[in-house]
Amino acid sequence: MLDQGSINAEAIAYSLDLFEKGHGRAGESQKDYQPAVRDQGFRRAIQRLQPSCALCGIRMLTPDGHTAVDAAHIVPWSESRNDAITNGMALCRLCHWTFDEGMIGVGDDYRVITSGLLARETNVPGFLLTLTGRPIIAPGDRELWPARDAPAWHRKKLRLRP
Ligand SMILES: [Zn+2]
């Protein structure tokens, strides 16, 4: 087992590795890293790329620069073994949850899609519906945008009942 200092150091190396050669090639970037290193490295890479939520745009930073956005896998790690930046999005906790639950997604045109379930679900904040059709907030570098097949995979899981 690595101590925390070593995990942190390896996670930094891993996140840099993802920036250098992690552009959408499933499996290539995982190497033999421990899960704790991978998790932290992927989070660092996505959060460095984008401090605000890709879907709703919320940006929460602590005074010392920590962000509240999660680093979400578009195709879950359990399915894809893919930590490529192009399989990731910075999402706030609410958008992360609704995304994982299949109530919100991203279209081929990189615009937000929402499920009819959202409109009926009184426990979900209504402002999420206002995101429908809005362009996602993507990284400045087009090469680091979500790979087209990742949101396409996720859309099959969307519960898009009208
Ligand atoms: Zn959000």
Side-chain angles (χ1 to χ4, degrees):
M1 280 301 280
L2 295 172
D3 60 48
Q4 193 58 48
S6 307
I7 289 174
N8 295 346
E10 280 206 21
I12 290 170
Y14 186 52
S15 71
L16 295 173
D17 204 36
L18 290 175
F19 268 103
E20 276 173 26
K21 50 190 180 192
H23 295 187
R25 289 169 296 179
E28 247 180 59
S29 51
Q30 59 171 303
K31 290 190 186 166
D32 300 318
Y33 289 102
Q34 288 188 11
V37 171
R38 267 202 331 92
D39 286 351
Q40 194 191 131
F42 179 72
R43 191 166 62 242
R44 287 184 75 96
I46 297 294
Q47 290 176 341
R48 179 180 138 193
L49 193 64
Q50 203 169 347
S52 49
C53 175
L55 299 182
C56 75
I58 199 167
R59 181 184 166 99
M60 287 186 288
L61 284 173
T62 63
D64 48 357
H66 291 146
T67 172
V69 295
D70 288 341
H73 286 89
I74 301 170
V75 184
W77 166 262
S78 58
E79 296 272 348
S80 64
R81 299 281 187 272
N82 185 5
D83 274 341
I85 286 172
T86 52
N87 185 38
M89 279 196 297
L91 295 180
C92 73
R93 301 272 157 86
L94 178 62
C95 289
H96 196 173
W97 182 81
T98 42
F99 188 81
D100 284 351
E101 289 294 317
M103 291 194 275
I104 197 165
V106 177
D108 252 341
D109 55 358
Y110 293 101
R111 289 176 183 272
V112 178
I113 297 171
T114 49
S115 157
L117 284 175
L118 272 186
R120 287 199 303 275
E121 181 52 70
T122 50
N123 292 318
V124 174
F127 92 92
L128 287 173
L129 285 171
T130 66
L131 304 177
T132 310
R134 264 182 37 171
I136 66 165
I137 297 154
D141 181 348
R142 196 74 169 75
E143 282 201 3
L144 299 176
W145 282 33
R148 217 167 262 280
D149 56 346
W153 183 94
H154 176 264
R155 280 199 301 279
K156 292 189 216 142
K157 307 282 177 192
L158 273 178
R159 299 191 278 171
L160 289 176
R161 282 184 277 150

